[in-house]
Amino acid sequence: MEAWVPLFDIFMNSPTPEIEASLWLQQCFNATTLSSSTTIPITASSFLSLLTKPCNLFVDDSSFSSPLTPKRIMFIETLPGMVQSRVLSFLALENERFNGKELSKLARSLLSESQGLDFWVKKAARDLLDRVSEPNHVNKWISGFSLESGEEVVGQEFESLPDWLKDMAAGNDPLLYWLPLSAADCGPRFYDDSLENDESLFSQVEENGENGLKEVGDEIEMDRVLNVPLEPEIENMAASLRDRVINLESSFKAVALGNEIRELCLDKGMDPFQVLCLIEPWKAEDEAASVLISHLSSGDEDELAWPSQVLCSIVLPKFLGLEEPASRLLLTSTIEYSKLHQRAAVHALLFPLVLRKEGINNPICDVITRILRECLHPAHVSAFCQTLLCGGEEERRFILLPCHEYLVSKELVWTDSLFNLFHNILNHNVHLTRDSVDRLVYHVRNIAERFSKSLKFGNFVLCLVTKCSSLLNSHKNVLTEAVECTNTLVTKSILLRIASL
């Protein structure tokens, strides 16, 4: 495993991991060929063997008598999501170096676990599967035969029709010229003249289409508040807890209250969103709220649903309304909780905060910066920025209580503080992807005149052209035109930096 550490370091930290990884592997392949003393040969097959090596993951599952349940996964699944997507992108780029069947098997194995798969990992796995399944692989295989010599190329896989289609092929009236099935074999609905008057078929198709749309984005699908009313007993319990939240004074009482809220939401089989909307835990004082957070953990660090509900019901409403610096105690508790539940922090805290309907201000910018720096790896921050800037509504879906949806927008609202946030991200040595940089350039061009006198906007652009210079060569003219619209202390410095790209 030690021999592969430099390669995974490239996938973790390099701004161009595919190119650097390709060069590294080529050098290792050459060294392995020249030297026979290598104890662990670095080859394409050994790399794939490492990625697919089975590992045991122990999951805490209270539904079983044993506290730890082993789960069999591949080694690549133990890596951070950003690293997985980069590895898969590299395999797609260098697919000719590897065994196509093994690559296809790897991609299919990952996609079979799509329920808990990161969006970008799923996308990279699909790209890899598409790449190794492209027709040019078949064309290259066929081109290896000499067809001009008159020799008959007989492939056992393509020798004849399946047995169940041989009789059909003898028919005189196939439904389609390439499919030897008659219309009668497909049922009367396919050739009945009354089909155009049959509205039931179209209504069925429409219904199925709506159901299909509802299933999109199952990976981060959140529970919705049910329209059915709660039982009177549950409503009374929630009302009692709400009164205790408002009048909460001591940390000791907060511990007991947190245990009761968790029991009501999880153990009673109720919809947590509906119950939390009635309890209104965000109205607790900051000190009590910080204790509530630490005592509302379900004990499963990989779980997304309940940690997301904790963050969006206690912390998010407080941070969305910040006009002054956040309470140090509350922010510290939030950071510690987010370190344990990173996916929940992204979907229930970071996305809603950045997409605040009024745009973020300085206090909110400071909160987001602290969480990004202290809870997420730079590669995860890069993935977050890519989803924020390039993803659609499905990819950027956030988790929050329905009573707070009016506070959040579906699009970025550009403010001086948002420029400052991206400035902080770039200074944190986060390597943005090419499509993220392209989107930032697009926004810079569109809003340059509106922020022509903003020094924060100027500092952000200067940082962008400095940190991402290798990705901006094709944008020199666009950036020059945009910066010439500004008039700040750094305008000349930006233009000089652009000219040197």
Side-chain angles (χ1 to χ4, degrees), residues 81 113-119 122 217-221 301-305 307-309 311 337-352 375-376 380 384 397-399:
E113 301 289 339
S114 60
Q115 184 175 3
L117 202 61
D118 180 79
F119 168 78
K122 185 188 299 184
D218 289 337
E219 179 185 0
I220 57 173
E221 181 68 26
E301 295 183 2
D302 295 326
E303 186 181 0
L304 174 64
S308 300
Q309 292 155 4
L311 290 174
Y337 192 86
S338 299
K339 287 179 180 178
L340 297 176
H341 307 285
Q342 296 180 12
R343 291 183 64 208
V346 170
H347 294 292
L349 203 55
L350 293 177
F351 275 133
C375 301
L376 301 181
H380 294 161
F384 167 76
R397 271 201 304 179
F398 39 77
I399 301 175

mmCIF file of all heavy atoms in Angstrom, residues 81 113-119 122 217-221 301-305 307-309 311 337-352 375-376 380 384 397-399:
data_model
loop_
_atom_site.group_PDB
_atom_site.id
_atom_site.type_symbol
_atom_site.label_atom_id
_atom_site.label_comp_id
_atom_site.label_asym_id
_atom_site.label_seq_id
_atom_site.Cartn_x
_atom_site.Cartn_y
_atom_site.Cartn_z
ATOM 1 N N GLY A 81 -15.264 11.093 -1.137
ATOM 2 C CA GLY A 81 -16.005 11.150 -2.390
ATOM 3 C C GLY A 81 -15.264 11.886 -3.496
ATOM 4 O O GLY A 81 -15.274 11.464 -4.658
ATOM 5 N N GLU A 113 -24.457 0.572 -5.737
ATOM 6 C CA GLU A 113 -24.592 1.137 -4.394
ATOM 7 C C GLU A 113 -25.032 2.587 -4.467
ATOM 8 O O GLU A 113 -24.649 3.414 -3.661
ATOM 9 C CB GLU A 113 -23.248 1.052 -3.653
ATOM 10 C CG GLU A 113 -22.697 -0.339 -3.507
ATOM 11 C CD GLU A 113 -23.499 -1.173 -2.519
ATOM 12 O OE1 GLU A 113 -24.202 -0.570 -1.685
ATOM 13 O OE2 GLU A 113 -23.424 -2.409 -2.587
ATOM 14 N N SER A 114 -25.869 2.921 -5.457
ATOM 15 C CA SER A 114 -26.199 4.318 -5.748
ATOM 16 C C SER A 114 -26.969 5.016 -4.642
ATOM 17 O O SER A 114 -27.016 6.234 -4.582
ATOM 18 C CB SER A 114 -27.013 4.393 -7.050
ATOM 19 O OG SER A 114 -28.216 3.646 -6.920
ATOM 20 N N GLN A 115 -27.568 4.253 -3.728
ATOM 21 C CA GLN A 115 -28.388 4.886 -2.689
ATOM 22 C C GLN A 115 -27.555 5.803 -1.799
ATOM 23 O O GLN A 115 -27.992 6.870 -1.411
ATOM 24 C CB GLN A 115 -29.074 3.817 -1.834
ATOM 25 C CG GLN A 115 -30.026 4.412 -0.792
ATOM 26 C CD GLN A 115 -30.775 3.333 -0.049
ATOM 27 O OE1 GLN A 115 -30.556 2.157 -0.265
ATOM 28 N NE2 GLN A 115 -31.666 3.734 0.827
ATOM 29 N N GLY A 116 -26.327 5.391 -1.454
ATOM 30 C CA GLY A 116 -25.496 6.211 -0.603
ATOM 31 C C GLY A 116 -24.307 6.803 -1.324
ATOM 32 O O GLY A 116 -23.354 7.252 -0.693
ATOM 33 N N LEU A 117 -24.346 6.841 -2.659
ATOM 34 C CA LEU A 117 -23.213 7.276 -3.457
ATOM 35 C C LEU A 117 -23.257 8.776 -3.663
ATOM 36 O O LEU A 117 -24.306 9.352 -3.945
ATOM 37 C CB LEU A 117 -23.229 6.564 -4.812
ATOM 38 C CG LEU A 117 -21.901 6.464 -5.574
ATOM 39 C CD1 LEU A 117 -20.879 5.686 -4.764
ATOM 40 C CD2 LEU A 117 -22.125 5.811 -6.921
ATOM 41 N N ASP A 118 -22.092 9.419 -3.501
ATOM 42 C CA ASP A 118 -21.980 10.846 -3.745
ATOM 43 C C ASP A 118 -22.328 11.154 -5.204
ATOM 44 O O ASP A 118 -22.041 10.366 -6.103
ATOM 45 C CB ASP A 118 -20.555 11.303 -3.424
ATOM 46 C CG ASP A 118 -20.361 12.790 -3.650
ATOM 47 O OD1 ASP A 118 -20.769 13.569 -2.789
ATOM 48 O OD2 ASP A 118 -19.813 13.168 -4.706
ATOM 49 N N PHE A 119 -22.929 12.330 -5.441
ATOM 50 C CA PHE A 119 -23.377 12.678 -6.790
ATOM 51 C C PHE A 119 -22.238 12.644 -7.794
ATOM 52 O O PHE A 119 -22.353 12.092 -8.889
ATOM 53 C CB PHE A 119 -24.015 14.066 -6.785
ATOM 54 C CG PHE A 119 -24.249 14.633 -8.160
ATOM 55 C CD1 PHE A 119 -25.321 14.209 -8.920
ATOM 56 C CD2 PHE A 119 -23.381 15.574 -8.704
ATOM 57 C CE1 PHE A 119 -25.525 14.707 -10.192
ATOM 58 C CE2 PHE A 119 -23.573 16.082 -9.968
ATOM 59 C CZ PHE A 119 -24.653 15.653 -10.713
ATOM 60 N N LYS A 122 -21.041 9.148 -8.546
ATOM 61 C CA LYS A 122 -21.989 8.481 -9.442
ATOM 62 C C LYS A 122 -21.814 8.965 -10.885
ATOM 63 O O LYS A 122 -21.818 8.180 -11.833
ATOM 64 C CB LYS A 122 -23.416 8.747 -8.964
ATOM 65 C CG LYS A 122 -24.480 8.004 -9.753
ATOM 66 C CD LYS A 122 -25.876 8.441 -9.368
ATOM 67 C CE LYS A 122 -26.165 8.164 -7.916
ATOM 68 N NZ LYS A 122 -27.566 8.513 -7.566
ATOM 69 N N GLY A 217 -33.126 11.880 -7.760
ATOM 70 C CA GLY A 217 -32.353 12.407 -6.646
ATOM 71 C C GLY A 217 -32.576 11.679 -5.347
ATOM 72 O O GLY A 217 -32.631 12.304 -4.281
ATOM 73 N N ASP A 218 -32.695 10.357 -5.396
ATOM 74 C CA ASP A 218 -32.956 9.604 -4.169
ATOM 75 C C ASP A 218 -31.807 9.681 -3.180
ATOM 76 O O ASP A 218 -32.004 9.405 -1.998
ATOM 77 C CB ASP A 218 -33.227 8.136 -4.521
ATOM 78 C CG ASP A 218 -34.573 7.962 -5.196
ATOM 79 O OD1 ASP A 218 -35.443 8.823 -5.012
ATOM 80 O OD2 ASP A 218 -34.730 6.959 -5.893
ATOM 81 N N GLU A 219 -30.614 10.045 -3.642
ATOM 82 C CA GLU A 219 -29.442 10.012 -2.764
ATOM 83 C C GLU A 219 -29.609 10.933 -1.571
ATOM 84 O O GLU A 219 -29.249 10.584 -0.454
ATOM 85 C CB GLU A 219 -28.195 10.431 -3.557
ATOM 86 C CG GLU A 219 -26.943 10.442 -2.716
ATOM 87 C CD GLU A 219 -25.748 10.972 -3.469
ATOM 88 O OE1 GLU A 219 -25.896 11.338 -4.643
ATOM 89 O OE2 GLU A 219 -24.688 11.025 -2.857
ATOM 90 N N ILE A 220 -30.122 12.164 -1.786
ATOM 91 C CA ILE A 220 -30.286 13.078 -0.675
ATOM 92 C C ILE A 220 -31.763 13.442 -0.509
ATOM 93 O O ILE A 220 -32.100 14.550 -0.122
ATOM 94 C CB ILE A 220 -29.447 14.354 -0.881
ATOM 95 C CG1 ILE A 220 -29.810 15.054 -2.200
ATOM 96 C CG2 ILE A 220 -27.980 14.070 -0.838
ATOM 97 C CD1 ILE A 220 -29.140 16.400 -2.376
ATOM 98 N N GLU A 221 -32.648 12.486 -0.825
ATOM 99 C CA GLU A 221 -34.084 12.722 -0.695
ATOM 100 C C GLU A 221 -34.444 12.957 0.764
ATOM 101 O O GLU A 221 -34.090 12.193 1.636
ATOM 102 C CB GLU A 221 -34.856 11.497 -1.212
ATOM 103 C CG GLU A 221 -36.372 11.675 -1.144
ATOM 104 C CD GLU A 221 -36.867 12.715 -2.113
ATOM 105 O OE1 GLU A 221 -36.220 12.946 -3.134
ATOM 106 O OE2 GLU A 221 -37.912 13.310 -1.823
ATOM 107 N N GLU A 301 -22.676 7.893 12.774
ATOM 108 C CA GLU A 301 -21.970 8.994 12.151
ATOM 109 C C GLU A 301 -22.190 9.049 10.644
ATOM 110 O O GLU A 301 -21.967 10.071 10.029
ATOM 111 C CB GLU A 301 -20.473 8.891 12.457
ATOM 112 C CG GLU A 301 -20.160 9.052 13.936
ATOM 113 C CD GLU A 301 -18.671 9.018 14.204
ATOM 114 O OE1 GLU A 301 -17.910 8.908 13.231
ATOM 115 O OE2 GLU A 301 -18.278 9.095 15.373
ATOM 116 N N ASP A 302 -22.607 7.940 10.029
ATOM 117 C CA ASP A 302 -22.806 7.919 8.589
ATOM 118 C C ASP A 302 -24.227 8.304 8.189
ATOM 119 O O ASP A 302 -24.539 8.405 7.025
ATOM 120 C CB ASP A 302 -22.500 6.520 8.036
ATOM 121 C CG ASP A 302 -21.035 6.178 8.212
ATOM 122 O OD1 ASP A 302 -20.224 7.113 8.118
ATOM 123 O OD2 ASP A 302 -20.716 5.003 8.452
ATOM 124 N N GLU A 303 -25.068 8.486 9.162
ATOM 125 C CA GLU A 303 -26.463 8.763 8.858
ATOM 126 C C GLU A 303 -26.597 10.198 8.370
ATOM 127 O O GLU A 303 -25.932 11.109 8.853
ATOM 128 C CB GLU A 303 -27.305 8.545 10.111
ATOM 129 C CG GLU A 303 -28.809 8.678 9.860
ATOM 130 C CD GLU A 303 -29.610 8.476 11.146
ATOM 131 O OE1 GLU A 303 -28.974 8.235 12.185
ATOM 132 O OE2 GLU A 303 -30.827 8.587 11.091
ATOM 133 N N LEU A 304 -27.480 10.427 7.410
ATOM 134 C CA LEU A 304 -27.706 11.763 6.862
ATOM 135 C C LEU A 304 -28.981 12.393 7.393
ATOM 136 O O LEU A 304 -28.996 13.573 7.740
ATOM 137 C CB LEU A 304 -27.762 11.694 5.329
ATOM 138 C CG LEU A 304 -28.127 12.999 4.607
ATOM 139 C CD1 LEU A 304 -27.077 14.063 4.850
ATOM 140 C CD2 LEU A 304 -28.306 12.758 3.115
ATOM 141 N N ALA A 305 -30.045 11.616 7.497
ATOM 142 C CA ALA A 305 -31.368 12.182 7.767
ATOM 143 C C ALA A 305 -31.439 12.903 9.114
ATOM 144 O O ALA A 305 -31.704 14.103 9.182
ATOM 145 C CB ALA A 305 -32.425 11.084 7.682
ATOM 146 N N PRO A 307 -29.070 13.742 11.557
ATOM 147 C CA PRO A 307 -28.160 14.871 11.752
ATOM 148 C C PRO A 307 -28.555 16.106 10.941
ATOM 149 O O PRO A 307 -28.398 17.242 11.410
ATOM 150 C CB PRO A 307 -26.800 14.312 11.288
ATOM 151 C CG PRO A 307 -26.903 12.863 11.512
ATOM 152 C CD PRO A 307 -28.329 12.511 11.210
ATOM 153 N N SER A 308 -29.079 15.900 9.732
ATOM 154 C CA SER A 308 -29.542 17.035 8.930
ATOM 155 C C SER A 308 -30.715 17.732 9.601
ATOM 156 O O SER A 308 -30.802 18.969 9.619
ATOM 157 C CB SER A 308 -29.953 16.563 7.532
ATOM 158 O OG SER A 308 -28.878 15.960 6.863
ATOM 159 N N GLN A 309 -31.610 16.954 10.167
ATOM 160 C CA GLN A 309 -32.772 17.534 10.845
ATOM 161 C C GLN A 309 -32.363 18.290 12.101
ATOM 162 O O GLN A 309 -32.954 19.326 12.434
ATOM 163 C CB GLN A 309 -33.770 16.414 11.166
ATOM 164 C CG GLN A 309 -34.407 15.816 9.928
ATOM 165 C CD GLN A 309 -34.900 14.399 10.125
ATOM 166 O OE1 GLN A 309 -34.836 13.845 11.224
ATOM 167 N NE2 GLN A 309 -35.383 13.775 9.056
ATOM 168 N N LEU A 311 -29.427 19.874 12.539
ATOM 169 C CA LEU A 311 -28.785 21.115 12.128
ATOM 170 C C LEU A 311 -29.782 22.121 11.575
ATOM 171 O O LEU A 311 -29.719 23.310 11.884
ATOM 172 C CB LEU A 311 -27.709 20.820 11.073
ATOM 173 C CG LEU A 311 -26.459 20.096 11.573
ATOM 174 C CD1 LEU A 311 -25.554 19.726 10.411
ATOM 175 C CD2 LEU A 311 -25.698 20.955 12.579
ATOM 176 N N TYR A 337 -20.046 19.168 15.800
ATOM 177 C CA TYR A 337 -21.091 18.283 15.284
ATOM 178 C C TYR A 337 -20.896 18.051 13.792
ATOM 179 O O TYR A 337 -21.088 16.938 13.279
ATOM 180 C CB TYR A 337 -22.464 18.899 15.561
ATOM 181 C CG TYR A 337 -23.621 17.967 15.341
ATOM 182 C CD1 TYR A 337 -24.058 17.100 16.339
ATOM 183 C CD2 TYR A 337 -24.307 17.952 14.130
ATOM 184 C CE1 TYR A 337 -25.120 16.246 16.142
ATOM 185 C CE2 TYR A 337 -25.376 17.100 13.917
ATOM 186 C CZ TYR A 337 -25.781 16.248 14.926
ATOM 187 O OH TYR A 337 -26.840 15.399 14.719
ATOM 188 N N SER A 338 -20.514 19.113 13.070
ATOM 189 C CA SER A 338 -20.342 19.007 11.621
ATOM 190 C C SER A 338 -19.143 18.143 11.254
ATOM 191 O O SER A 338 -19.119 17.528 10.182
ATOM 192 C CB SER A 338 -20.179 20.407 11.010
ATOM 193 O OG SER A 338 -21.332 21.197 11.241
ATOM 194 N N LYS A 339 -18.138 18.091 12.104
ATOM 195 C CA LYS A 339 -16.991 17.217 11.837
ATOM 196 C C LYS A 339 -17.420 15.752 11.811
ATOM 197 O O LYS A 339 -16.867 14.947 11.054
ATOM 198 C CB LYS A 339 -15.916 17.422 12.904
ATOM 199 C CG LYS A 339 -15.160 18.747 12.790
ATOM 200 C CD LYS A 339 -14.136 18.875 13.902
ATOM 201 C CE LYS A 339 -13.376 20.183 13.799
ATOM 202 N NZ LYS A 339 -12.395 20.356 14.913
ATOM 203 N N LEU A 340 -18.388 15.415 12.646
ATOM 204 C CA LEU A 340 -18.881 14.037 12.696
ATOM 205 C C LEU A 340 -19.880 13.740 11.585
ATOM 206 O O LEU A 340 -20.033 12.589 11.167
ATOM 207 C CB LEU A 340 -19.536 13.761 14.058
ATOM 208 C CG LEU A 340 -18.630 13.862 15.287
ATOM 209 C CD1 LEU A 340 -19.450 13.664 16.551
ATOM 210 C CD2 LEU A 340 -17.513 12.836 15.219
ATOM 211 N N HIS A 341 -20.574 14.752 11.126
ATOM 212 C CA HIS A 341 -21.658 14.570 10.142
ATOM 213 C C HIS A 341 -21.433 15.549 8.993
ATOM 214 O O HIS A 341 -22.156 16.537 8.830
ATOM 215 C CB HIS A 341 -23.021 14.796 10.790
ATOM 216 C CG HIS A 341 -23.246 13.983 12.029
ATOM 217 N ND1 HIS A 341 -23.509 12.639 12.003
ATOM 218 C CD2 HIS A 341 -23.230 14.329 13.344
ATOM 219 C CE1 HIS A 341 -23.659 12.184 13.234
ATOM 220 N NE2 HIS A 341 -23.489 13.189 14.064
ATOM 221 N N GLN A 342 -20.439 15.276 8.166
ATOM 222 C CA GLN A 342 -20.044 16.218 7.123
ATOM 223 C C GLN A 342 -21.099 16.357 6.031
ATOM 224 O O GLN A 342 -21.386 17.466 5.564
ATOM 225 C CB GLN A 342 -18.708 15.784 6.520
ATOM 226 C CG GLN A 342 -17.568 15.816 7.512
ATOM 227 C CD GLN A 342 -16.255 15.390 6.896
ATOM 228 O OE1 GLN A 342 -16.128 15.265 5.676
ATOM 229 N NE2 GLN A 342 -15.260 15.147 7.733
ATOM 230 N N ARG A 343 -21.685 15.250 5.605
ATOM 231 C CA ARG A 343 -22.721 15.331 4.558
ATOM 232 C C ARG A 343 -23.917 16.127 5.046
ATOM 233 O O ARG A 343 -24.495 16.932 4.306
ATOM 234 C CB ARG A 343 -23.165 13.929 4.135
ATOM 235 C CG ARG A 343 -22.106 13.134 3.377
ATOM 236 C CD ARG A 343 -22.670 11.801 2.930
ATOM 237 N NE ARG A 343 -23.758 11.966 1.992
ATOM 238 C CZ ARG A 343 -24.752 11.099 1.831
ATOM 239 N NH1 ARG A 343 -24.794 10.002 2.588
ATOM 240 N NH2 ARG A 343 -25.685 11.299 0.951
ATOM 241 N N ALA A 344 -24.300 15.918 6.286
ATOM 242 C CA ALA A 344 -25.416 16.682 6.848
ATOM 243 C C ALA A 344 -25.075 18.164 6.911
ATOM 244 O O ALA A 344 -25.922 19.026 6.624
ATOM 245 C CB ALA A 344 -25.758 16.154 8.243
ATOM 246 N N ALA A 345 -23.829 18.485 7.262
ATOM 247 C CA ALA A 345 -23.416 19.891 7.330
ATOM 248 C C ALA A 345 -23.490 20.554 5.963
ATOM 249 O O ALA A 345 -23.878 21.723 5.844
ATOM 250 C CB ALA A 345 -21.999 19.985 7.889
ATOM 251 N N VAL A 346 -23.144 19.801 4.908
ATOM 252 C CA VAL A 346 -23.187 20.364 3.556
ATOM 253 C C VAL A 346 -24.619 20.650 3.121
ATOM 254 O O VAL A 346 -24.933 21.742 2.641
ATOM 255 C CB VAL A 346 -22.488 19.409 2.555
ATOM 256 C CG1 VAL A 346 -22.745 19.854 1.117
ATOM 257 C CG2 VAL A 346 -20.994 19.357 2.833
ATOM 258 N N HIS A 347 -25.505 19.670 3.302
ATOM 259 C CA HIS A 347 -26.861 19.797 2.760
ATOM 260 C C HIS A 347 -27.827 20.545 3.671
ATOM 261 O O HIS A 347 -28.803 21.126 3.186
ATOM 262 C CB HIS A 347 -27.426 18.409 2.449
ATOM 263 C CG HIS A 347 -26.703 17.696 1.355
ATOM 264 N ND1 HIS A 347 -26.733 18.111 0.044
ATOM 265 C CD2 HIS A 347 -25.892 16.599 1.374
ATOM 266 C CE1 HIS A 347 -25.998 17.314 -0.694
ATOM 267 N NE2 HIS A 347 -25.477 16.387 0.088
ATOM 268 N N ALA A 348 -27.593 20.527 4.961
ATOM 269 C CA ALA A 348 -28.536 21.172 5.886
ATOM 270 C C ALA A 348 -28.011 22.466 6.458
ATOM 271 O O ALA A 348 -28.744 23.151 7.185
ATOM 272 C CB ALA A 348 -28.868 20.209 7.033
ATOM 273 N N LEU A 349 -26.767 22.834 6.143
ATOM 274 C CA LEU A 349 -26.206 24.055 6.714
ATOM 275 C C LEU A 349 -25.532 24.917 5.646
ATOM 276 O O LEU A 349 -25.901 26.081 5.458
ATOM 277 C CB LEU A 349 -25.200 23.676 7.810
ATOM 278 C CG LEU A 349 -24.907 24.735 8.882
ATOM 279 C CD1 LEU A 349 -26.178 25.196 9.559
ATOM 280 C CD2 LEU A 349 -23.937 24.178 9.920
ATOM 281 N N LEU A 350 -24.552 24.350 4.936
ATOM 282 C CA LEU A 350 -23.768 25.163 4.009
ATOM 283 C C LEU A 350 -24.579 25.618 2.799
ATOM 284 O O LEU A 350 -24.575 26.810 2.453
ATOM 285 C CB LEU A 350 -22.534 24.371 3.554
ATOM 286 C CG LEU A 350 -21.495 24.095 4.641
ATOM 287 C CD1 LEU A 350 -20.362 23.236 4.089
ATOM 288 C CD2 LEU A 350 -20.949 25.395 5.210
ATOM 289 N N PHE A 351 -25.261 24.688 2.134
ATOM 290 C CA PHE A 351 -26.052 25.082 0.969
ATOM 291 C C PHE A 351 -27.134 26.108 1.315
ATOM 292 O O PHE A 351 -27.252 27.140 0.641
ATOM 293 C CB PHE A 351 -26.682 23.854 0.305
ATOM 294 C CG PHE A 351 -25.783 23.157 -0.672
ATOM 295 C CD1 PHE A 351 -25.626 21.786 -0.655
ATOM 296 C CD2 PHE A 351 -25.080 23.870 -1.622
ATOM 297 C CE1 PHE A 351 -24.786 21.140 -1.552
ATOM 298 C CE2 PHE A 351 -24.234 23.247 -2.527
ATOM 299 C CZ PHE A 351 -24.089 21.873 -2.487
ATOM 300 N N PRO A 352 -27.952 25.892 2.357
ATOM 301 C CA PRO A 352 -28.970 26.901 2.675
ATOM 302 C C PRO A 352 -28.376 28.256 3.061
ATOM 303 O O PRO A 352 -28.943 29.298 2.709
ATOM 304 C CB PRO A 352 -29.734 26.273 3.852
ATOM 305 C CG PRO A 352 -29.474 24.819 3.760
ATOM 306 C CD PRO A 352 -28.092 24.689 3.210
ATOM 307 N N CYS A 375 -14.022 21.623 8.990
ATOM 308 C CA CYS A 375 -14.809 20.378 8.922
ATOM 309 C C CYS A 375 -14.614 19.590 7.636
ATOM 310 O O CYS A 375 -14.863 18.384 7.627
ATOM 311 C CB CYS A 375 -16.300 20.695 9.094
ATOM 312 S SG CYS A 375 -16.702 21.521 10.639
ATOM 313 N N LEU A 376 -14.199 20.248 6.569
ATOM 314 C CA LEU A 376 -14.112 19.576 5.273
ATOM 315 C C LEU A 376 -12.690 19.601 4.736
ATOM 316 O O LEU A 376 -11.953 20.581 4.934
ATOM 317 C CB LEU A 376 -15.043 20.244 4.254
ATOM 318 C CG LEU A 376 -16.536 20.301 4.587
ATOM 319 C CD1 LEU A 376 -17.293 20.968 3.448
ATOM 320 C CD2 LEU A 376 -17.092 18.922 4.852
ATOM 321 N N HIS A 380 -13.082 18.155 -0.658
ATOM 322 C CA HIS A 380 -14.534 18.220 -0.451
ATOM 323 C C HIS A 380 -15.052 19.632 -0.668
ATOM 324 O O HIS A 380 -16.166 19.825 -1.178
ATOM 325 C CB HIS A 380 -14.873 17.750 0.960
ATOM 326 C CG HIS A 380 -14.574 16.306 1.202
ATOM 327 N ND1 HIS A 380 -14.446 15.762 2.456
ATOM 328 C CD2 HIS A 380 -14.365 15.283 0.335
ATOM 329 C CE1 HIS A 380 -14.178 14.477 2.359
ATOM 330 N NE2 HIS A 380 -14.130 14.159 1.073
ATOM 331 N N PHE A 384 -17.887 20.842 -3.218
ATOM 332 C CA PHE A 384 -18.997 21.695 -2.791
ATOM 333 C C PHE A 384 -19.140 22.898 -3.725
ATOM 334 O O PHE A 384 -20.247 23.240 -4.167
ATOM 335 C CB PHE A 384 -18.763 22.151 -1.350
ATOM 336 C CG PHE A 384 -19.658 23.280 -0.901
ATOM 337 C CD1 PHE A 384 -20.987 23.047 -0.589
ATOM 338 C CD2 PHE A 384 -19.165 24.570 -0.793
ATOM 339 C CE1 PHE A 384 -21.814 24.084 -0.187
ATOM 340 C CE2 PHE A 384 -19.980 25.608 -0.391
ATOM 341 C CZ PHE A 384 -21.314 25.369 -0.082
ATOM 342 N N ARG A 397 -29.841 20.441 -3.951
ATOM 343 C CA ARG A 397 -30.967 20.400 -3.025
ATOM 344 C C ARG A 397 -30.491 20.445 -1.581
ATOM 345 O O ARG A 397 -29.583 19.728 -1.200
ATOM 346 C CB ARG A 397 -31.805 19.153 -3.259
ATOM 347 C CG ARG A 397 -32.894 19.384 -4.280
ATOM 348 C CD ARG A 397 -33.991 18.378 -4.135
ATOM 349 N NE ARG A 397 -33.466 17.031 -4.236
ATOM 350 C CZ ARG A 397 -34.248 15.960 -4.121
ATOM 351 N NH1 ARG A 397 -35.515 16.094 -3.896
ATOM 352 N NH2 ARG A 397 -33.723 14.753 -4.220
ATOM 353 N N PHE A 398 -31.111 21.304 -0.822
ATOM 354 C CA PHE A 398 -30.746 21.447 0.574
ATOM 355 C C PHE A 398 -31.867 20.917 1.451
ATOM 356 O O PHE A 398 -32.988 20.691 1.001
ATOM 357 C CB PHE A 398 -30.456 22.921 0.907
ATOM 358 C CG PHE A 398 -31.382 23.892 0.231
ATOM 359 C CD1 PHE A 398 -32.672 24.100 0.687
ATOM 360 C CD2 PHE A 398 -30.961 24.571 -0.895
ATOM 361 C CE1 PHE A 398 -33.522 24.979 0.061
ATOM 362 C CE2 PHE A 398 -31.816 25.469 -1.539
ATOM 363 C CZ PHE A 398 -33.096 25.668 -1.050
ATOM 364 N N ILE A 399 -31.549 20.720 2.720
ATOM 365 C CA ILE A 399 -32.497 20.157 3.674
ATOM 366 C C ILE A 399 -32.808 21.216 4.719
ATOM 367 O O ILE A 399 -31.907 21.723 5.394
ATOM 368 C CB ILE A 399 -31.916 18.903 4.340
ATOM 369 C CG1 ILE A 399 -31.576 17.846 3.280
ATOM 370 C CG2 ILE A 399 -32.876 18.328 5.370
ATOM 371 C CD1 ILE A 399 -30.884 16.621 3.823
#
